[in-house]
Structure formats: structure tokens, C-alpha cells
């Protein structure tokens, strides 16, 4: 028997959660008699009429169309029943994949937890190590955890929204239908003051007309209708079976009666149940023309919970399908990001392992301006500073070795001075004894000894000066005064032309004054020694300010520096002179660097050399 979709009987007499095929969402049913459509359920577009050629040859057959499967059954002479169902293979495969994927994830997580618990043997100290994850695992776990949490939050929020929206929709539907029924009752009752059974029995026409009208309206809207008199007794119901058999009470729900009769409310919603079947029941008072309550109208809505469960189930299927792919995509993205970050850190770690103080360390090239780029930039700075420090350390070690060597050489050179002195004493004794040709012997020995003594003394002094460069006594003084004193000494020689353009200003510097004097003395002596004998020596000295530094340039008209020796010009013990020690320019460079300055030169072979000394200015003493 066909029943109203939203009425009691289909819900109350269904077997558990089973639905009749007419009410099933996935199926559509059509019944044909003699090729004419007699009845149909759900929204499938069945043809209204069929010719004899449209029916299949077999009594029972499945016909597959695009996205739809139809089952035809010959129910008797001229009678056919057709059941249609969507066959969305793609959706079914996606759903199957989603469920399998989720199950595999849960199994994998469970196996991982069990393996770790067994590996640590439930030791409390080792148990803490489970949470000490690597950066790769932390990033992957965070992304996947956010995806899972968002899935749960969205699911609960959406279900809550569906429940509220569904309840609101049901209330609106019930309110709309119950108002229509109220108008119909008031139209039939007119100005009657009561709605008791006795009063209605006296007006059989009114009762018959009212019952017919209410039945029609309830059939149209697919709901059941109950009418209670002013005392709460049931006077009319479109579903009489539960009341006749004692399943439901024939008196009105006491809570609803209290709200409408005692509190005079215009409507009341009540959740009621029959066994395990829950449903919403809507009550309103029926008023006559004078505004007096003459009855109570009730509509129970039985399919609310079933429809809600169906909607939530469909939503969960959809969101599980979507989140399975989102979870898979999040896993792939997290794997890509972590691999990229791990490769970056591996590159930096590899470069750090290759750092060697004895060789040049290549910087890391990183084009992107991100956090790793900042780390790479700091690494490159560290490598650069490390190389500078290594170079300074090596340089300090070499110069320290040279200082030790200078002390030793000075000591060794001074040792022969004592036998030389004894030789002089021997010669003096020969003179006292009036030895033959003593005067000639004395003259030769004296010249040789004095020449060698002066030479050895000069070498000893040069090495001694180089050895004491690392012990400066700094003070603030005017640079141009020191330079002028050195120039004045050389201007006494009429064969040398000196041209000076000094600042004559407050060019204070903070350095060892003795060493600065020695610096310019050595540079001027080197300049004079580079000038050939056939040329008139000419030295030009000029000063100028660059930013916060004072620069002094010493220009000579000598032969210049050959290209092949320029790389070693400041190296200790390197010299191009037959009688030099090779410590002059090395000593000058060391003095300038200890004064936080810089020394360099420009030279063109055959046309002279210019040495530049840059020293930082210092405030006045």
C-alpha cells in the first residue's frame, strides 16, 4: 500500500534501518500497465508511454545505459516494473580508494607505534625519544596532523550546521502546513465555541466535511494530522491505528498541553518518540472568530531523523573522499618540502665538512633570498673570515719565525766581533814590538776589520729592528711633522732634489712614532737606491685626505719594479740588491698594518715607482 512519504507507517513498520525501495534515495521505480505509466517514485525521467517494441524480450533483464542501470521485470499480463539506479563507477572507485587509503594509514600508524614500543621495551627514558623527531619528520608530521585536524573540525562543524539547518527547515515546513490546516479548521468550524466529540457528532455534515478536508491537506503535504479538544482528548487523527491499538495515548502530550492551555503560547515544538523512533511534533491552538481556543492541532513529523542521518552520511562520504586526496596531496607536498630543506642542510653540512684552513674554501651559491639564504650568507661570511684569520695566523707564524731568526742571526753575526777585536789587539802588539812592515799591515787590517764590522753591525741592526716591530708604543702625533723631519735630513745632500707638499694641518694619527719615522726613512732610502747613478735623484712627497684617512704618496724617478718580482716585494728576506737584507719593505708593511693602515704601490718599469701609505686619522691629543 502506498503511504505518505513523511507519515508514521513507513517509519514505524520499517525493519530496523531498512527503507522501502520507494523511499530509497538511490533507486527510482516505475510501474507500467499496457504500456502506460501508472506510478513512479523518485526523480528518474521514465517515459510516460511505451510501445510494444520498447519492452525487452525477456521477462527479467538488466539494461545498462550511460551512467544508469535499469532492471525490467514482467509482473503479469501487460504489467512491467522498472527499477533504475545510477552506476557512477568513478565515484565508487574514488570512494573505495578513500576507504582503503584511510584503513592503510591507520594500520601503518598502529604498526609504527607497536614497533617503537617493542624496540624501546617500554623504557620510560627511551619512551621520551619517540617525540624527538628530526626536522624532516616534524614538518611532515605537522602538515599531516593539520590536515587530519582540519578534517575533524570541518566534519563536526558541518554536521552541526546540517543538524541546525535541518531542524530549522523542518520547523518552517511544519509551521507552514499547520497554518494551512488551522485555516481550514476555522473555515469549517465558524464561530463554534467548542470542538468536543459530542458537539461534532451533532453536526455530521460538518464532521464529514472537516475530515475530508484535513485528509486531503495531509495527503498533499505528506504529513499526519491530530486534533485534540480543549481538554486534551483526541477527536480526530489521520492515523488512527496507533491510537486504536494503544501504541500511543489518546490524550495530548502533557508538556505541550501545559504550554498551550496554561501558558497560552501560540505554538510549541516537542520531541517525542515511539519506541526508538524519534520525531518532532508541532502543536498550535485553534482559535474561533472571537479568539478563543476551541481545539489543539498537532502534526508529527516522522522522517526528520532518518533524513538527517541520510544527509550526514552523504556528507561524510563526500568529505572522506575529498580529504583522502587532500591528505595524499599534503603528504606529497610535505615530502617535497622536507626533501628540499634536507638537501639544503645537507649541502651546508657537506660544505662545512670540507672546510680546510690549508686551502681555499668555495662559498655556497644560493640564489633565493629566504631563511636558508640567510644561513648560507652567514656561512659564506664565516668562511671568508676564517680564511682571513687563517691567513693572518699563518702570516703571524711566519713573521714570528722570522723574528726568532732575526734574533738568532743578530746574535750569530755579533759573535765574530770579539775575534776581530782580538785581531786588532794582536796588531797593536806587533806595532809595540816594532815588527817589519807593521804600518802597512796595520793599515790593511784596520780597513778590512772596520769595513766588516760596519757591515755586520748594519745587518744586525736591520734584523733587530724587524724583530721588535710587534711591540709598538702608540701615541697621537702629527704625521706631517715626522715626515718633515725625515725630509730635512735628506735635503742636506745637495745632490738630491726633494719636493714636498704636506698638509700642514691637524693630521693626527695614533701609532708608534719611532716606527713611523723608520717607515718613511726606509721608503725614502729605497726610493733613492732605486735611482740609477747616471740620473739626478728626485723624490716627490704629497699628502691628501680620503674620507677619514690620510694618504701619503712617495714618488721617485727610479727604474721601477720589474713584473716578475712584484708578487714578493713585501716578503721578508726577499731583496733584489746584492748587499741588502730583504727586510726593509717587509718591515714597512708590518708597521703600516699595526697602525691599522694600508700600503701599496704603482710602478712602471723604467719610469719610477709611487708608494702609497694610508693611515687612519685620530682626534687631537
Amino acid at each position: 500500500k502506498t503511504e505518505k512519504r513523511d507519515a508514521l507507517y513507513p517509519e514505524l513498520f520499517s525493519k530496523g534501518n531498512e527503507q522501502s525501495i520507494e523511499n530509497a534515495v538511490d533507486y527510482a521505480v516505475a510501474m507500467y500497465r499496457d504500456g502506460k505509466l501508472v506510478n513512479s517514485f523518485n526523480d528518474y525521467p521514465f517515459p510516460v508511454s511505451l510501445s510494444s517494441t520498447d519492452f525487452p524480450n525477456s521477462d527479467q533483464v538488466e539494461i545498462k545505459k550511460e551512467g544508469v542501470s535499469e532492471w525490467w521485470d514482467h509482473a503479469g499480463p501487460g504489467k512491467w516494473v522498472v527499477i533504475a539506479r545510477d552506476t557512477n563507477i568513478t565515484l565508487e572507485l574514488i570512494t573505495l580508494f578513500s576507504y582503503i587509503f584511510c584503513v592503510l594509514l591507520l594500520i601503518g600508524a598502529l604498526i609504527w607505534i607497536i614497533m617503537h614500543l617493542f624496540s624501546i621495551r617500554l623504557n620510560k627514558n627511551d619512551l621520551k625519544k619517540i617525540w624527538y623527531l628530526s626536522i624532516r619528520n616534524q614538518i611532515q608530521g605537522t602538515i599531516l596532523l593539520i590536515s587530519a585536524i582540519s578534517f575533524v573540525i570541518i566534519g563536526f562543524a558541518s554536521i552541526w550546521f546540517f543538524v541546525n539547518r535541518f531542524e530549522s527547515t523542518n520547523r518552517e515546513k511544519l509551521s507552514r502546513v499547520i497554518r494551512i490546516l488551522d485555516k481550514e479548521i476555522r473555515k469549517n468550524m465558524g464561530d463554534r465555541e467548542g470542538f468536543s466529540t459530542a458537539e461534532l457528532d451533532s453536526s455530521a455534515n460538518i464532521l464529514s466535511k472537516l475530515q475530508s478536508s484535513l485528509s486531503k491537506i495531509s495527503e498533499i503535504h505528506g504529513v499526519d494530522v491530530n486534533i485534540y479538544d480543549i481538554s486534551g482528548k483526541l477527536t480526530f487523527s489521520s492515523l488512527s491505528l496507533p491510537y486504536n491499538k494503544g501504541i500511543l495515548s489518546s490524550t495530548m502530550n502533557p508538556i505541550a498541553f501545559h504550554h498551550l492551555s496554561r501558558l497560552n503560547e501560540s505554538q510549541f515544538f516537542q520531541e517525542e518518540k515511539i519506541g526508538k523512533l524519534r520525531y518532532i511534533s508541532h502543536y498550535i491552538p485553534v482559535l474561533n472568530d472571537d479568539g478563543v481556543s476551541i481545539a489543539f492541532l498537532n502534526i508529527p513529523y516522522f522522517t526528520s531523523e532518518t533524513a538527517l542521518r541520510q544527509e550526514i552520511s552523504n556528507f561524510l562520504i563526500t568529505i572522506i573522499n575529498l580529504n583522502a586526496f587532500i591528505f595524499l596531496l599534503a603528504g606529497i607536498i610535505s615530502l617535497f618540502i622536507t626533501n628540499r630543506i634536507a638537501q639544503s642542510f645537507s649541502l651546508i653540512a657537506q660544505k662545512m665538512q670540507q672546510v680546510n684552513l690549508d686551502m681555499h674554501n668555495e662559498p655556497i651559491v644560493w640564489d633565493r633570498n629566504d631563511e636558508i639564504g640567510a644561513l648560507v650568507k652567514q656561512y659564506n661570511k664565516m668562511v671568508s673570515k676564517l680564511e682571513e684569520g687563517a691567513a693572518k695566523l699563518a702570516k703571524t707564524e711566519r713573521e714570528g719565525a722570522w723574528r726568532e731568526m732575526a734574533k738568532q742571526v743578530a746574535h750569530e753575526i755579533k759573535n765574530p766581533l770579539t775575534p776581530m777585536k782580538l785581531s786588532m789587539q794582536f796588531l797593536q802588539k806587533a806595532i809595540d814590538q816594532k815588527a817589519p812592515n807593521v804600518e802597512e799591515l796595520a793599515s790593511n787590517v784596520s780597513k778590512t776589520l772596520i769595513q766588516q764590522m760596519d757591515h755586520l753591525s748594519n745587518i744586525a741592526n736591520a734584523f733587530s729592528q724587524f724583530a721588535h716591530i710587534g711591540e709598538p708604543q702608540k701615541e697621537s702625533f702629527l704625521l706631517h711633522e715626522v715626515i718633515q723631519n725625515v725630509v730635512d735630513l735628506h735635503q742636506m745632500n745637495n745632490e738630491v732634489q726633494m719636493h714636498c707638499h704636506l698638509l700642514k694641518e691637524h693630521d693626527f694619527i695614533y701609532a708608534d712614532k719611532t716606527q713611523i719615522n723608520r717607515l718613511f726613512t726606509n721608503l725614502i732610502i729605497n726610493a733613492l737606491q732605486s735611482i740609477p747613478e747616471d740620473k739626478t735623484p728626485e723624490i716627490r712627497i704629497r699628502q691628501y685626505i680620503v674620507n677619514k684617512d690620510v694618504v701619503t704618496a712617495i714618488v721617485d724617478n727610479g727604474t721601477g719594479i720589474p713584473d716578475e718580482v712584484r708578487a714578493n716585494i713585501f716578503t721578508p728576506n726577499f731583496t733584489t740588491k746584492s748587499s741588502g737584507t730583504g727586510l726593509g719593505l717587509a718591515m714597512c708593511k708590518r708597521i703600516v698594518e699595526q697602525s691599522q693602515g694600508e700600503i701599496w704601490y704603482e710602478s712602471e718599469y723604467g719610469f719610477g715607482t709611487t708608494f702609497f701609505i694610508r693611515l687612519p686619522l685620530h682626534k687631537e691629543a
Side-chain angles (χ1 to χ4, degrees), residues 481-496:
E481 292 182 353
V482 175
I483 298 175
Q484 189 63 55
N485 292 334
V486 177
V487 170
D488 291 341
L489 294 175
H490 291 280
Q491 281 182 338
M492 296 179 182
N493 188 350
N494 296 327
E495 297 180 358
V496 179

Side-chain angles (χ1 to χ4, degrees), residues 151-161 315:
F151 163 70
V152 175
I153 293 175
I154 292 173
F156 278 107
S158 301
I159 291 173
W160 177 81
F161 171 76
F315 167 75

Side-chain angles (χ1 to χ4, degrees), residues 445-459:
V445 172
S446 297
K447 290 180 181 179
T448 302
L449 291 178
I450 293 172
Q451 184 179 5
Q452 292 300 321
M453 289 175 64
D454 291 338
H455 181 63
L456 293 176
S457 181
N458 290 335
I459 293 175

Side-chain angles (χ1 to χ4, degrees), residues 166-373:
F166 198 81
E167 291 179 354
S168 176
T169 303
N170 290 339
R171 289 171 182 261
E172 291 177 1
K173 178 181 179 180
L174 292 178
S175 297
R176 184 173 62 252
V177 175
I178 206 168
R179 294 303 174 189
I180 296 174
L181 293 171
D182 178 53
K183 289 180 180 179
E184 188 66 22
I185 293 173
R186 294 174 64 180
K187 183 176 70 173
N188 285 275
M189 293 298 297
D191 58 353
R192 291 180 179 272
E193 297 180 356
F195 205 85
S196 64
T197 305
E199 187 176 357
L200 290 175
D201 288 341
S202 63
S203 303
N205 292 333
I206 295 176
L207 178 60
S208 176
K209 185 177 179 181
L210 179 60
Q211 290 178 344
S212 175
S213 177
L214 293 178
S215 298
K216 183 183 294 185
I217 294 174
S218 66
E219 184 71 28
I220 291 173
H221 292 280
V223 295
D224 294 314
V225 181
N226 297 322
I227 299 178
Y228 298 91
D229 62 16
I230 197 66
S231 63
K233 298 292 183 179
L234 181 68
T235 59
F236 171 78
S237 176
S238 62
L239 65 162
S240 57
L241 179 64
Y243 301 99
N244 295 336
K245 298 297 183 179
I247 298 174
L248 293 175
S249 174
S250 59
T251 57
M252 185 177 170
N253 184 285
I255 299 177
F257 182 80
H258 175 74
H259 279 268
L260 298 184
S261 179
R262 300 289 186 267
L263 302 180
N264 293 322
E265 294 181 0
S266 62
Q267 64 176 352
F268 180 72
F269 287 92
Q270 172 75 23
E271 185 181 279
E272 301 176 358
K273 65 177 181 177
I274 303 176
K276 294 182 179 180
L277 175 63
R278 296 181 180 272
Y279 60 93
I280 296 176
S281 193
H282 189 195
Y283 295 86
I284 66 168
V286 179
L287 307 178
N288 61 10
D289 295 340
D290 297 330
V292 178
S293 297
I294 59 175
F296 300 110
L297 181 61
N298 165 239
I299 297 180
Y301 191 63
F302 291 99
T303 60
S304 56
E305 189 173 353
T306 303
L308 178 61
R309 287 198 304 265
Q310 183 67 35
E311 187 170 358
I312 292 175
S313 176
N314 294 335
F315 167 75
L316 289 177
I317 292 174
T318 303
I319 197 173
I320 288 174
N321 291 337
L322 290 175
N323 279 274
F325 285 96
I326 292 174
F327 202 77
L328 182 61
L329 182 63
I332 295 174
I333 293 175
S334 65
L335 182 63
F336 172 76
I337 293 175
T338 53
N339 286 340
R340 184 177 177 183
I341 295 175
Q343 288 176 359
S344 303
F345 284 119
S346 299
L347 175 63
I348 297 174
Q350 184 180 3
K351 289 291 186 180
M352 286 183 175
Q353 290 177 352
Q354 295 175 355
V355 171
N356 194 334
L357 297 178
D358 298 332
M359 58 182 293
H360 176 67
N361 299 297
E362 293 292 335
I364 300 175
V365 179
W366 192 266
D367 298 330
R368 293 180 293 276
N369 188 20
D370 52 9
E371 289 78 5
I372 297 178

